[in-house]
C-alpha cells in the first residue's frame, strides 16, 4: 500500500471513529439518569427552589456536587458558585386606625408601596367620591389623604391615583370592592403577591415619600372612617348635586408603615470544561434551576416543584456535562471550552444570567454561543399528536451561520420537528425576551433557546415529575448535545452577522 493511500485510509478511519464517538457520547444521555436527577431536583424536599431559599441552595449543592464528580473545574476562584446579592422590599409592620378602631393588615386593609412612613402619621382624610377631576371641585385636599370609591372596575384606581397625585394628595385610600367578603378575597390575593416580593439586583431606595404608596381598604373601613354607611358614601359619589361630597365631613386616620430593604443571597452554579487548541473560545450552556417555591392557598401551602420549569432543562445540562466530560477523559475533548451554567433568579427577571453577563467569569468577547434550555420535558396542546418536536427560538437572530448549523445538525442526528412559532419577536408571548439567553443576546452573542411550549401546568403545583416524557426529553437533550459538539469542534467560531 502506498504511503498516500495508507494516509487516506487512516484519515477516513479516524474521521469515522470521531463521528461514532460523538454518537456514543450522546447515547450517555439516558431517560433513566434524567429521571433519577429530576426526581431529586423537583422533589418536595426542595420546596420549589425559590431564589434565596433553603430549597434553592440545596439544589445548588446537588448540581455543584455533580459537576465535581465529573471532574469539571470550579471556575470562580476555586468554587462552583458565583454568589450574588439580590434585594427585596419587606413590609416589617403596617398599622392603621380611625375613631379608636385598629384595622388588620391583609384583612381590613392592604398597604401597597415601598415607602417607609417614618413613624406614625395622622392626617385628615377627605372623601372625593370616584376620584374624577370634577370630584375635587371646592375640596381642599393638598397634603391630606383622600378616600376614593372606584366603582365596578377593580383596576379603575389607576386613573384615580394619577388624578390624586396631580392634586398634591399625601395618601390615597382606595375602595375597589362592593362588599367586605369581596375585599377579604382581594386582600388574600395581595398577601400572596406581596409575600413573594420582587427581587432586584439593584438595592431599592426606601424613602418616606408616601405619594408613591396607597392603601386598599374594605367598605367596612370606609364606613368607620366617616362614621356613616357605605350606601351613603356610594350615593354621594354618584350624586350630581353640587357639594354632595362636601357633606361627608373629613376624618382623621393614623397609619404607620415600616419598610425595609432586605438582601437575599443567591448563586449561579458553574462547571468548566477546558478545551484543547481553541480553549480560549467558550461555549456557554445554560438552564435555570430556580422555580417559584411555595404558594399559599385555602388548602395550605402548595409546593410548585417545577419539574418541567426548569427542572427538565437543568437535568439536561447535567447530562450534557457528563457526556462531554467523558469525551475529554477519552481523549475526545472539545476544541473550545464549555461552561455549563445553571442560574438562579430567572423567575424574578432573569437576574442570575444578568449578573453573569455583568460580571463574566470568562470574557464575553471570547464567548461564542449560548445554548439555553428552559422547559424541554413536556408537550403543549398544539403538539399533542405531533412527532417529536421542540420550539427553537433565536437561532437566526444574530447569526445565520448558527441557524444553518442548528438545522443541519438536527437533520443529521435527531430529526426533531423544529417549530419556529415563537421565533417571531412580535409574537404576543415574547419568548425571545423571557429566558436567560436574552442577557447574552443583548451582548451580541448568538443564542439558541430550546423550549417545549406553555402547557396547562405552567407555574402550578401540578408541574410534577410524573408528567415528564423522558424519552422526548432525552431526544431534545441529545439535539442540544450534537449542536454543542459541532459548535465546540468546528474550525471557525460562530460569529454574529455583520450589522
Amino acid at each position: 500500500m502506498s504511503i498516500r493511500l495508507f494516509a487516506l485510509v487512516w484519515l477516513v478511519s479516524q474521521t469515522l471513529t470521531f463521528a461514532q464517538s460523538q454518537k456514543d457520547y450522546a447515547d450517555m444521555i439516558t431517560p433513566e439518569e434524567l429521571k433519577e436527577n429530576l426526581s431529586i431536583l423537583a422533589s418536595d424536599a426542595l420546596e420549589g427552589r425559590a431564589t434565596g431559599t433553603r430549597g434553592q441552595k440545596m439544589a445548588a449543592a446537588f448540581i455543584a456536587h455533580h459537576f465535581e464528580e465529573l471532574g469539571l473545574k470550579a471556575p470562580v476562584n476555586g468554587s462552583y458558585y458565583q454568589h450574588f446579592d439580590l434585594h427585596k422590599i419587606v413590609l416589617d409592620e403596617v398599622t392603621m386606625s380611625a375613631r379608636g378602631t385598629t384595622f388588620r393588615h391583609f384583612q381590613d386593609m392592604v398597604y401597597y408601596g415601598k415607602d417607609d412612613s417614618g413613624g406614625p402619621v395622622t392626617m385628615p382624610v377627605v372623601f372625593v367620591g370616584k376620584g374624577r377631576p370634577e370630584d375635587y371641585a371646592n375640596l381642599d385636599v393638598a397634603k391630606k389623604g383622600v378616600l376614593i370609591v372606584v366603582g365596578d372596575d377593580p383596576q379603575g384606581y389607576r386613573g384615580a391615583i394619577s388624578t390624586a397625585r396631580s392634586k398634591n394628595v399625601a395618601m390615597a385610600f382606595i375602595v375597589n370592592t362592593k362588599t367586605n367578603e369581596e375585599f377579604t378575597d382581594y386582600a388574600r390575593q395581595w398577601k400572596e403577591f406581596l409575600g413573594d416580593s420582587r427581587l432586584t439586583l439593584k438595592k431599592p431606595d426606601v424613602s418616606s415619600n408616601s405619594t408613591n404608596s396607597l392603601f386598599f381598604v374594605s367598605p367596612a373601613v370606609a364606613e368607620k372612617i366617616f362614621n356613616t354607611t357605605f350606601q351613603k358614601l356610594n350615593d354621594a359619589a354618584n350624586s350630581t348635586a353640587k357639594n354632595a361630597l362636601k357633606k361627608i365631613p373629613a376624618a382623621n386616620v393614623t397609619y404607620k408603615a415600616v419598610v425595609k430593604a432586605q438582601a437575599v443571597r443567591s448563586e449561579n452554579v458553574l462547571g468548566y470544561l477546558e478545551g484543547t487548541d481553541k480553549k480560549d473560545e467558550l461555549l456557554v450552556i445554560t438552564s435555570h434551576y430556580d422555580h417559584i417555591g411555595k404558594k399559599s392557598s385555602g388548602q395550605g401551602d402548595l409546593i410548585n416543584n417545577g419539574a418541567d420549569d426548569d427542572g427538565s432543562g437543568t437535568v439536561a445540562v447535567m447530562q450534557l456535562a457528563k457526556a462531554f466530560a467523558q469525551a475529554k477523559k477519552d481523549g475526545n475533548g472539545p476544541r473550545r471550552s464549555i461552561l455549563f451554567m445553571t442560574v438562579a433568579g430567572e423567575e424574578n427577571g432573569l437576574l442570575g444570567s444578568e449578573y453573569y453577563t455583568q460580571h463574566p467569569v470568562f470574557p464575553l468577547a471570547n464567548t461564542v454561543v449560548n445554548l439555553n434550555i428552559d422547559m424541554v420535558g413536556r408537550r403543549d396542546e398544539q403538539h399533542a399528536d405531533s412527532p417529536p418536536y421542540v420550539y427553537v427560538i433565536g437561532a437566526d437572530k444574530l447569526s445565520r451561520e448558527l441557524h444553518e448549523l442548528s438545522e443541519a445538525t438536527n437533520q443529521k442526528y435527531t430529526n426533531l420537528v423544529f417549530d419556529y412559532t415563537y421565533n417571531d419577536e412580535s409574537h404576543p408571548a415574547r419568548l425571545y425576551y423571557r429566558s436567560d439567553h436574552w442577557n447574552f443576546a443583548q451582548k451580541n452573542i448568538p443564542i439558541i433557546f430550546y423550549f417545549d411550549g406553555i402547557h396547562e401546568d405552567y407555574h402550578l403545583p401540578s408541574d410534577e415529575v410524573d408528567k415528564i416524557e423522558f424519552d422526548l426529553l432525552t431526544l431534545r437533550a441529545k439535539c442540544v448535545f450534537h449542536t454543542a459538539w459541532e459548535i465546540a469542534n468546528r474550525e471557525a467560531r460562530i460569529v454574529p452577522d455583520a450589522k
Side-chain angles (χ1 to χ4, degrees), residues 22 49 59 61 67-68 77 89 94 140 202 218 224 229-230 246 264 354 356 369 393 398 448 479 483 487 498:
Q22 179 177 346
R49 310 187 305 279
F67 287 166
E68 184 178 19
N77 299 319
I89 291 291
V94 176
D140 178 16
K202 183 180 179 181
S218 70
K224 176 59 69 172
T229 66
F230 191 54
K246 292 190 73 173
V264 176
E354 181 181 353
Y356 178 85
V369 168
I393 302 166
L398 297 172
I448 304 178
C479 177
T483 303
I487 293 169

Side-chain angles (χ1 to χ4, degrees), residues 122-271:
T122 299
M123 66 172 59
V125 175
V126 179
F127 183 59
V128 295
K130 295 183 179 181
R132 299 164 298 189
E134 59 267 30
D135 292 331
Y136 286 87
N138 303 317
L139 294 177
D140 178 16
V141 298
K143 298 183 179 180
K144 299 178 181 179
V146 295
L147 189 139
I148 305 168
V149 178
V150 298
D152 295 335
D153 180 6
Q155 298 299 319
Y157 68 88
R158 300 185 187 280
I161 287 297
S162 178
T163 299
R165 287 174 179 161
S166 73
K167 302 294 183 180
N168 198 24
V169 164
M171 177 59 72
F173 301 84
I174 306 295
V175 183
N176 66 339
T177 57
K178 295 179 181 178
T179 66
N180 295 314
E181 290 74 22
E182 286 181 4
F183 185 82
T184 297
D185 184 60
Y186 187 70
R188 179 190 61 76
Q189 295 177 43
W190 270 108
K191 184 177 183 180
E192 181 175 306
F193 174 74
L194 294 176
D196 185 26
S197 299
R198 189 77 169 176
L199 297 172
T200 62
L201 280 169
K202 183 180 179 181
K203 185 176 180 179
D205 175 29
V206 178
S207 69
S208 57
N209 180 14
S210 62
T211 58
N212 292 322
S213 303
L214 58 94
F215 281 91
F216 294 101
V217 300
S218 70
V221 170
E223 290 179 331
K224 176 59 69 172
I225 290 174
F226 294 110
N227 194 29
T228 188
T229 66
F230 191 54
Q231 182 61 52
K232 288 183 178 179
L233 292 176
N234 269 310
D235 289 345
N238 291 311
S239 175
T240 58
K242 187 176 181 180
N243 295 326
L245 298 178
K246 292 190 73 173
K247 294 180 180 180
I248 307 294
N252 283 343
V253 169
T254 299
Y255 69 87
K256 181 173 73 170
V258 180
V259 181
K260 296 180 179 179
Q262 179 178 317
V264 176
R265 190 75 162 164
S266 192
E267 45 278 313
N268 298 326
V269 186
L270 287 65

Side-chain angles (χ1 to χ4, degrees), residues 298-354:
Q299 300 175 338
D301 285 338
L302 294 175
I303 300 174
N304 296 270
N305 284 316
D308 192 29
D309 185 13
D310 182 29
S312 62
T314 299
V315 296
V317 170
M318 292 169 70
Q319 290 305 104
L320 287 165
K322 180 178 181 178
F324 274 105
Q326 186 61 51
K328 181 169 182 176
K329 290 175 183 176
D330 294 343
N332 289 323
R335 301 177 70 184
R336 292 178 178 83
S337 299
I338 303 178
L339 180 65
F340 301 93
M341 180 167 65
T342 62
V343 300
E346 191 273 353
E347 298 289 2
N348 299 97
L350 317 182
L351 300 180
S353 55
E354 181 181 353

Side-chain angles (χ1 to χ4, degrees), residues 40 57 212 254 421 428 476:
I40 295 170
K57 295 178 185 300
N212 292 322
T254 299
T421 298
R476 289 166 174 163

